[in-house]
């Protein structure tokens, strides 16, 4: 379902402006950033995802007749989207400008940045530029959709420059919770734009390569038109802990587990975390089994491309774990967010076919719940404890660190880049607002800060930043093999069915006389238990007979009128008797 953003310009607090949209903060200081040279040239940016939400990141850049895209991610559905598998961006604006699109650059291999790519490539075939590991993960996605042999994949590395029409883009290495992540320096006649991608500043990264702060600083000295920066952790003060600190925690917890079998649940994409688990397992003389399709794919791709060092003989097929004692096993699994179909959830509820938990298991949930997932994670923890399992979760120990920059790192990035304009991206409204406040504290002028919405298109030049219009953008729901065929009507029906159930009225009618030949039969699902509510069902049957008899006209054969009347009368009766509003579905067969 397309949810087009038709909003006119508003400021950060939702108040309308005439044509332009600016932040309304008070200026914090007179500190001036180094300004790019004056020019009449302008560049346009369209936000197609990742604004006022977590996930579904997608940004489009335009200069004259040249366009390119940064990232194409997905979001996972919440409880308001029953039955929906994935949420991807609306590609209408991209499709309408297909002839101008010169390529797409992917900053890193997380689902919220690559998950929508296959769906986009089915509509428009454009070259993909990404780093080595990211390309490896993208190949798996494209292979699932039978697109691998038809798409042009271009491998890039940090400090590489690529030219897409009038744009020249340099890749800049950043730290994140997955290797091979990059930020972008986007150069065109209008000036230089820095887009950080997801990043943090890790001085002791697991892969040994610290974020390329000198390169960001070099651009800052030359003059940067705008900075688009990751806002995910903008509410958190201080600095994000190094990923290496998690390894020390694993060492301590593995010793504490003693002779128990260890089960570690983590994000499937966190290759650094997987590496540290394998390293500690090897030092403790334990074999490692991996469960979960996405996690297995990451281990295979990471090992094949050299991003994961897996000692020979340490990995164990899950079917062989029964041949080893508990104190010689570590199981790495998905499900750190309590996802209903994940391996850890199935284990917790005794539904996993290959792993059964017992009091001799020691479960470590190496992740912090994403906002909105706390209840699901809590349910899984409760079920695990019912099995007598010892569970380490959330902040009991340092078993998880974020891959996103906290406030001091965000300010450091601004200080190095010294942008004229600042655009917080990648976050909900509270994250974007907090990040904007940080920019004000760094001396960026209040009128030079912009908080956008999905669908906003803005224009930047050395002289001005202005809101242009709203383009077609929003959400498209993926359900099974269907893309975009589930909309508000279907979702409302699903919500109503889940809330009050359904009553089906089935009757066979003589079309010439209108007499009921058989039925009406009343079928209830999710409403009441029929055997315990026979009086109610009999009343419904009598009502159906009366409505059909009163409303059917053999001359006009107007079944719609009969069905509408039956729905109205039966809904009214059910609400009066039960205070519930089930869906009413009449089914008439004529003979």
């Amino acid at each position: 379902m397309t949810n087009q953003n038709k909003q006119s310009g508003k400021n950060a607090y939702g108040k309308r402006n005439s044509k332009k949209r600016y932040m309304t903060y008070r200026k914090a200081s007179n500190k001036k950033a180094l300004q790019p040279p004056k020019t009449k040239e302008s560049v346009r940016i369209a936000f197609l995802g990742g604004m006022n939400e977590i996930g579904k990141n997608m940004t489009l850049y335009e200069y004259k007749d040249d366009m390119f895209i940064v990232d194409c991610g997905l979001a996972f559905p919440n409880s308001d989207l029953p039955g929906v598998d994935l949420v991807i961006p609306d590609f209408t604006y991209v499709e309408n400008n297909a002839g101008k699109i010169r390529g797409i650059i992917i900053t890193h291999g997380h689902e919220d940045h690559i998950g929508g790519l296959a769906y986009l490539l089915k509509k428009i075939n454009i070259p993909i530029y990404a780093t080595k590991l990211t390309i490896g993960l993208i190949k798996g996605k494209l292979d699932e959709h039978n697109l691998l042999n038809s798409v042009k994949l271009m491998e890039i590395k940090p400090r590489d420059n690529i030219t897409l029409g009038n744009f020249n883009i340099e890749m800049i290495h950043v730290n994140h919770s997955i290797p091979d992540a990059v930020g972008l320096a986007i150069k065109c006649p209008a000036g230089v734009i820095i887009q950080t991608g997801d990043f943090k500043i890790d001085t002791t990264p697991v892969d040994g390569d610290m974020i390329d702060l000198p390169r960001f600083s070099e651009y800052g000295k030359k003059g940067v038109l705008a900075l688009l920066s990751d806002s995910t952790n903008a509410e958190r003060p201080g600095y994000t802990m190094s990923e290496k600190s998690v390894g020390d925690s694993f060492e301590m917890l593995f010793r504490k587990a003693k002779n128990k079998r260890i089960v570690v649940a983590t994000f499937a994409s966190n290759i650094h975390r997987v590496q540290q688990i394998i390293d500690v397992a090897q030092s403790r003389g334990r074999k490692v089994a991996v469960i979960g399709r996405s996690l297995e794919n990451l281990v295979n791709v990471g090992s094949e491309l050299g991003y994961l060092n897996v000692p020979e003989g340490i990995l164990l097929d899950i079917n062989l774990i029964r041949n080893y004692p508990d104190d010689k096993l570590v199981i790495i699994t998905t499900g750190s967010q309590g996802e209903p179909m994940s391996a850890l959830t199935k284990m917790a509820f005794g539904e996993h076919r290959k792993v059964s938990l017992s009091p001799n298991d020691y479960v470590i949930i190496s992740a912090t719940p994403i906002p909105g997932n706390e209840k699901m994670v809590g349910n899984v923890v409760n079920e695990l404890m019912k099995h007598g399992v010892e569970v380490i979760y959330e902040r009991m120990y340092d078993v998880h660190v974020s891959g996103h920059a906290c406030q001091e790192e965000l300010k450091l990035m601004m200080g190095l880049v010294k942008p004229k304009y600042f655009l917080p991206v990648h976050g909900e409204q509270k994250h974007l607002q907090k990040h904007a406040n940080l920019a004000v504290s760094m001396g960026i002028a209040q009128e030079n800060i912009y908080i956008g919405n999905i669908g906003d298109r803005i224009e930047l030049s050395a002289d001005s930043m202005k809101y242009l219009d709203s383009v077609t953008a929003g959400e498209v729901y993926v359900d099974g093999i269907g893309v975009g065929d589930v909309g508000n009507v279907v979702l409302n029906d699903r919500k109503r069915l889940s809330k009050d159930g359904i009553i089906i009225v089935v009757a066979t009618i003589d079309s010439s006389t209108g007499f009921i030949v058989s039925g009406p039969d009343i079928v209830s699902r999710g409403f009441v238990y029929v055997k315990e509510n026979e009086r109610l069902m009999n009343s419904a049957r009598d009502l159906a007979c009366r409505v059909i008899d009163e409303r059917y006209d053999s001359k006009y054969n107007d079944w719609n009128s009969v069905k509408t009347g039956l729905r109205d009368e039966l809904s009214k009766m059910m609400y009066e008797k039960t205070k519930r509003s089930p869906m009413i579905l009449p089914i008439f067969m004529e003979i």
Side-chain angles (χ1 to χ4, degrees):
M1 158 79 190
T2 298
N3 179 21
Q4 184 173 353
N5 188 332
K6 297 182 179 178
Q7 295 181 355
S8 60
K10 299 177 185 177
N11 62 28
Y13 299 101
K15 297 182 180 179
R16 293 184 179 273
N17 297 322
S18 56
K19 292 184 179 179
K20 299 180 182 180
R21 179 153 39 178
Y22 298 119
M23 296 296 298
T24 55
Y25 296 97
R26 294 181 179 177
K27 195 168 183 179
S29 74
N30 293 320
K31 179 182 176 182
K32 292 185 178 179
L34 183 63
Q35 303 299 328
K38 294 282 185 178
T39 174
K40 294 182 180 179
E41 300 286 354
S42 62
V43 60
R44 294 170 296 282
I45 304 173
F47 301 109
L48 303 183
M51 302 294 286
N52 292 298
E53 64 180 358
I54 299 295
K56 201 160 61 65
N57 297 292
M58 188 175 186
T59 310
L60 185 143
Y61 289 86
E62 310 174 34
Y63 176 79
K64 294 186 177 179
D65 288 330
D66 293 318
M67 298 181 177
F68 78 96
I69 301 166
V70 176
D71 293 327
C72 184
L74 58 75
F76 292 103
N78 55 32
S79 58
D80 292 330
L81 301 174
V84 173
D85 297 321
L86 306 170
V87 183
I88 60 175
D90 180 358
F91 302 132
T92 301
Y93 188 66
V94 175
E95 291 181 75
N96 291 342
N97 292 277
K100 300 179 181 180
I101 307 294
R102 308 302 174 213
I104 179 166
I105 301 174
I106 306 297
T107 58
H108 63 281
H110 280 158
E111 288 284 353
D112 58 336
H113 292 257
I114 69 172
L117 197 53
Y119 300 97
L120 173 63
L121 295 172
K122 290 178 180 179
K123 296 178 178 293
I124 170 175
N125 195 340
I126 52 178
I128 300 170
Y129 298 84
T131 52
K132 186 176 180 181
L133 177 62
T134 307
I135 288 285
L137 296 172
I138 289 172
K139 283 182 177 179
K141 296 285 183 185
L142 300 183
D143 193 33
E144 290 179 10
H145 291 264
N146 298 315
L147 293 171
L148 187 56
N149 296 325
S150 61
V151 175
K152 187 177 181 180
L153 297 171
M154 308 294 292
E155 185 180 312
I156 53 177
K157 59 183 183 298
R159 296 286 182 117
D160 278 357
N161 284 265
I162 61 173
T163 299
L164 300 175
N166 278 291
F167 290 99
N168 181 269
I169 303 101
E170 180 180 343
M171 315 300 140
I172 305 177
H173 173 70
V174 298
N175 299 133
H176 189 40
S177 55
I178 189 171
D180 262 8
V182 293
L184 307 177
I186 301 163
K187 293 159 279 184
C188 70
V192 177
I193 298 173
I194 300 293
Q195 182 164 347
T196 65
D198 290 359
F199 83 100
K200 72 175 183 178
I201 298 174
D202 193 339
T203 56
T204 57
V206 173
D207 59 11
D209 295 321
M210 186 178 163
I211 182 174
D212 195 351
L213 293 177
R215 194 62 181 144
F216 285 109
S217 179
E218 288 170 20
Y219 277 106
K221 291 175 182 177
K222 294 176 183 177
V224 171
L225 181 65
L227 171 64
L228 281 70
S229 184
D230 173 18
S231 305
T232 309
N233 271 355
E235 294 181 301
R236 299 185 182 182
Y239 297 86
T240 303
M241 291 177 62
S242 172
E243 179 67 30
K244 275 197 172 178
S245 64
V246 178
D248 297 334
S249 295
F250 280 140
E251 285 276 5
M252 179 268 294
L253 291 171
F254 276 38
R255 288 195 302 271
K256 187 178 177 183
K258 296 180 180 178
N259 295 325
K260 292 184 176 182
R261 182 175 63 178
I262 299 172
V263 180
V264 185
T266 188
F267 288 111
S269 59
N270 198 332
I271 199 168
H272 293 146
R273 194 73 45 82
V274 173
Q275 181 68 71
Q276 292 185 98
I277 296 169
I278 291 174
D279 290 345
V280 178
Q282 183 190 27
S283 69
R284 306 296 298 177
R286 290 176 180 255
K287 298 285 187 180
V288 176
V290 177
I291 303 178
R293 183 181 176 187
S294 54
L295 195 54
E296 291 171 9
N297 180 59
L298 181 81
V299 171
N300 291 334
V301 172
S303 301
E304 181 181 334
L305 298 179
Y307 290 89
L308 197 61
N309 178 26
V310 181
E312 187 174 351
I314 194 170
L315 285 183
L316 189 67
D317 187 284
I318 191 63
N319 295 306
L320 301 178
I321 60 173
R322 64 185 63 187
N323 299 333
Y324 290 80
D326 289 347
D327 64 347
K328 296 298 181 183
L329 283 175
V330 174
I331 297 173
I332 309 176
T333 181
T334 55
S336 62
Q337 296 301 306
E339 305 94 320
M341 299 305 292
S342 66
L344 183 64
T345 301
K346 290 181 178 179
M347 292 178 205
F349 286 88
E351 298 171 357
H352 200 281
R353 291 180 296 174
K354 298 177 180 178
V355 180
S356 297
L357 298 179
S358 73
N360 206 45
D361 283 306
Y362 190 84
V363 175
I364 303 170
I365 300 179
S366 182
T368 300
I370 295 171
N373 290 353
E374 294 89 351
K375 187 173 182 179
M376 290 193 298
V377 174
N379 289 339
V380 171
V381 170
N382 288 332
E383 289 298 322
L384 289 169
M385 290 182 171
K386 288 178 183 178
H387 291 285
V389 174
E390 185 173 356
V391 186
I392 307 298
Y393 60 98
E394 293 188 27
R395 302 188 183 279
M396 294 172 65
Y397 297 92
D398 293 327
V399 292
H400 176 69
V401 297
S402 176
H404 300 270
C406 289
Q407 290 179 1
E408 296 305 313
E409 297 155 272
L410 296 175
K411 291 194 291 185
L412 178 57
M413 180 62 72
M414 293 181 213
L416 292 175
V417 172
K418 301 180 176 66
K420 178 173 183 178
Y421 303 114
F422 178 68
L423 295 85
V425 294
H426 298 185
E428 298 173 356
Q429 183 68 199
K430 60 182 180 179
H431 305 123
L432 305 179
Q433 292 270 6
K434 196 69 176 181
H435 204 173
N437 283 330
L438 294 177
V440 171
S441 73
M442 292 296 293
I444 297 177
Q446 58 185 11
E447 65 269 18
N448 289 351
I449 301 172
Y450 181 89
I451 293 180
N453 286 315
I454 293 176
D456 285 0
R457 194 166 71 112
I458 65 169
E459 184 175 71
L460 300 175
S461 71
D463 300 322
S464 67
M465 172 175 62
K466 61 183 179 181
Y467 169 81
L468 292 179
D469 53 23
S470 287
V471 303
T472 302
E475 298 179 335
V476 172
Y477 305 133
V478 178
D479 188 356
I481 62 173
V483 180
D485 58 349
V486 173
N488 283 336
V489 174
V490 174
L491 288 174
N492 287 337
D493 284 347
R494 290 180 180 181
K495 291 175 185 176
R496 188 173 176 187
L497 286 168
S498 67
K499 183 180 178 182
D500 292 310
I502 185 172
I503 292 176
I504 304 171
V505 183
V506 183
T508 303
I509 300 173
D510 187 325
S511 59
S512 60
T513 64
F515 292 155
I516 298 174
V517 177
S518 68
D521 295 321
I522 309 297
V523 181
S524 170
R525 291 292 182 271
F527 173 56
V528 295
Y529 184 47
V530 174
K531 290 184 178 180
E532 294 180 358
N533 290 271
E534 291 185 3
R535 182 177 297 178
L536 180 63
M537 293 297 104
N538 289 335
S539 298
R541 188 176 296 107
D542 293 341
L543 177 64
C545 288
R546 179 175 61 79
V547 172
I548 294 171
D549 183 58
E550 290 177 354
R551 290 187 174 249
Y552 180 73
D553 189 332
S554 60
K555 181 179 179 181
Y556 296 104
N557 213 15
D558 186 5
W559 290 111
N560 287 331
S561 176
V562 179
K563 290 179 179 179
T564 300
L566 182 56
R567 287 192 194 98
D568 292 343
E569 294 288 338
L570 200 53
S571 293
K572 181 180 178 181
M573 187 194 84
M574 289 302 176
Y575 186 78
E576 289 176 351
K577 292 182 177 293
T578 67
K579 301 301 179 186
R580 304 178 201 168
S581 300
M583 181 180 290
I584 309 296
L585 180 61
I587 300 176
F588 296 154
M589 293 172 284
E590 296 179 76
I591 60 171

